[in-house]
Amino acid sequence: MVATVLSGIDPNRIPRHVATVMDGNGRWAEQRGLRRTDGHAAGEDALFDTVEGAIDLGIGWFTVYAFSTENWRRPPDEVRYLMGFNKGILERHAEDLHARGVRIRFAGRRDWRVPRGVLRRMDWAADLTRGNTGMTLTIAFNYGGRAEIVDAVRALVREGVKPDRIDERSIRRHLYQPDVPDPDLMIRTSGEFRISNFLLWELAYSEIVFTDVLWPDFRRAHLVDAVREYQARDRRFGGVPSSG
Ligand code: IPE
Ligand code: IPE
Ligand code: MG
């Protein structure tokens, strides 16, 4: 990445885990008189430019919200498009990402609504890249924060864990990705100020950066801007200001 883009970035305080709500595809398309699905298609360049930027910045974990448990409420044509699109993304990019040492993972429910061919592609991409030690790219797909907590509690009950043994640690251990640190930074595009059921447990102390940029226009430079904003924040975790 060119040095000017990275100016003002402290290489010693790069967030370990960045999570992104890729929002605004529909509005991007509407502004151009295109179909909503064209907006999703345009989000592909945004995603892979941003992933490249994340690798260059040395971000260890990068999580993107691709399809929520609530997105099934969309018109059937759009849902069908998004299923095929996410499968296509893996077909087009998994091998490149593999060559770059990226480990691809998925977080979400594997329920009957997700077409079998999509699940097969997801398994293929995860298997292909399982041994990689570079950045971990987690695609939150058919993901809901509440569903994740429900699934964790179900797993604990199934194991017969006694009520007194249930604590934050045991719940954390039963989330979809127990080995991944909580996001330091969450970015949401398109000017919406909400979480929309993303990583509810994990975001407890994340710094949140909201930007008006619509997802298809988002590029690595915007990621760098968000990291710069993150580095200017004072994370207190309930304590007192570190500079005070
Ligand atoms: C985000 O863009 C993509 C998904 C939720 C899959 P949207 O499709 O939500 O775009 P807007 O919010 O309608 O502009
Ligand atoms: C959140 O965006 C989900 C994804 C980006 C996949 P939405 O567009 O679905 O969220 P709401 O409906 O505006 O809250
Ligand atoms: Mg949206």
Side-chain angles (χ1 to χ4, degrees):
M1 203 183 306
V2 284
T4 48
V5 175
L6 286 176
S7 74
I9 295 289
D10 178 352
N12 298 313
R13 286 195 305 129
I14 298 294
R16 281 206 299 168
H17 182 185
V18 177
T20 303
V21 181
M22 309 184 286
D23 196 17
N25 298 350
R27 278 161 285 167
W28 184 93
E30 278 155 30
Q31 285 173 5
R32 287 161 179 76
L34 303 169
R35 294 163 299 187
R36 292 181 54 82
T37 49
D38 296 324
H40 299 314
E44 184 166 342
D45 285 348
L47 175 58
F48 291 97
D49 197 69
T50 307
V51 164
E52 293 281 328
I55 296 170
D56 289 349
L57 277 166
I59 290 166
W61 286 272
F62 192 67
T63 300
V64 294
Y65 205 3
F67 191 88
S68 77
T69 47
E70 287 69 42
N71 287 148
W72 298 106
R73 293 182 186 148
R74 296 189 176 204
D77 280 356
E78 183 172 347
V79 168
R80 206 171 305 120
Y81 179 88
L82 285 168
M83 292 294 136
F85 177 64
N86 280 286
K87 177 168 172 264
I89 273 194
L90 297 173
E91 287 163 359
R92 290 187 288 280
H93 297 276
E95 269 147 351
D96 268 8
L97 293 172
H98 180 47
R100 300 217 49 183
V102 173
R103 179 168 56 163
I104 303 172
R105 286 192 180 175
F106 300 90
R109 277 194 176 159
R110 296 172 65 97
D111 64 34
W112 57 272
R113 292 176 294 187
V114 182
R116 228 168 243 235
V118 179
L119 290 175
R120 265 200 301 269
R121 263 298 160 201
M122 288 162 62
D123 291 341
W124 165 79
D127 287 342
L128 175 72
T129 62
R130 193 175 304 282
N132 291 344
T133 55
M135 189 176 83
T136 299
L137 170 66
T138 299
I139 302 175
F141 188 77
N142 194 20
Y143 174 88
R146 289 183 175 175
E148 179 177 27
I149 296 169
V150 168
D151 288 350
V153 172
R154 280 184 186 162
L156 284 164
V157 172
R158 213 174 285 125
E159 287 170 17
V161 177
K162 297 273 177 298
D164 288 353
R165 305 300 296 248
I166 296 179
D167 54 16
E168 293 185 12
R169 277 243 302 263
S170 61
I171 292 177
R172 187 74 185 76
R173 268 205 307 275
H174 288 80
L175 296 178
Y176 294 147
Q177 299 199 87
D179 59 329
V180 176
D182 288 344
D184 301 294
L185 168 63
M186 187 202 99
I187 302 167
R188 182 168 187 150
T189 60
S190 86
E192 303 291 358
F193 300 115
R194 54 179 173 262
I195 306 281
S196 299
N197 204 14
F198 192 37
L199 304 175
L200 291 183
W201 182 281
E202 298 88 335
L203 291 175
Y205 269 100
S206 307
E207 294 298 326
I208 303 184
V209 169
F210 294 104
T211 168
D212 286 337
V213 176
L214 301 174
W215 179 253
D217 292 328
F218 198 87
R219 290 295 179 273
R220 64 182 79 192
H222 298 108
L223 173 68
V224 175
D225 288 344
V227 169
R228 199 177 285 115
E229 191 169 335
Y230 163 83
Q231 291 189 339
R233 303 262 180 100
D234 184 20
R235 299 187 78 187
R236 297 182 197 164
F237 300 99
V240 292
S242 57
S243 51

